[in-house]
Amino acid sequence: MLVALDKYSNALRRHGGDFGDYVEHLDPQNHELPKHLVKVREGNEETVHYFHTEEELRKFGEENPDLGLFGEKNGADGEA
């Protein structure tokens, strides 16, 4: 079991997350861990956001269209 947790922790870290922070986002009502992670870089700052549902993730994407989370085109030059 510890080997599996270590592998999971390493995979999360490779995607920009922190295992301790991830576990802190446990849903207190249903005891589920987040299913989605979004890493956002603004200048030299990086923030990681965790979401339990696709709906939460989609709402975040709609509130932050410049991130192009769902393949939306951004800006006049067509960059995502």
Side-chain angles (χ1 to χ4, degrees):
M1 174 138 173
L2 290 178
V3 172
L5 280 176
D6 186 53
K7 286 182 182 180
Y8 195 77
S9 175
N10 288 333
L12 192 61
R13 190 174 18 262
R14 281 192 305 276
H15 288 92
D18 175 78
F19 190 72
D21 192 34
Y22 172 74
V23 171
E24 287 181 16
H25 283 85
L26 178 82
D27 186 313
Q29 292 180 346
N30 63 18
H31 306 287
E32 290 184 1
L33 290 166
K35 293 179 177 72
H36 308 281
L37 170 153
V38 175
K39 182 171 66 170
V40 178
R41 171 173 259 175
E42 292 185 49
N44 291 331
E45 298 292 320
E46 282 187 350
T47 56
V48 177
H49 305 267
Y50 298 97
F51 304 95
H52 290 92
T53 66
E54 180 83 21
E55 182 179 308
E56 290 174 348
L57 176 62
R58 196 159 287 283
K59 182 178 177 188
F60 182 78
E62 290 169 0
E63 292 171 353
N64 298 280
D66 56 314
L67 297 177
L69 294 181
F70 298 98
E72 304 95 341
K73 295 295 180 189
N74 180 15
D77 58 6
E79 289 184 22

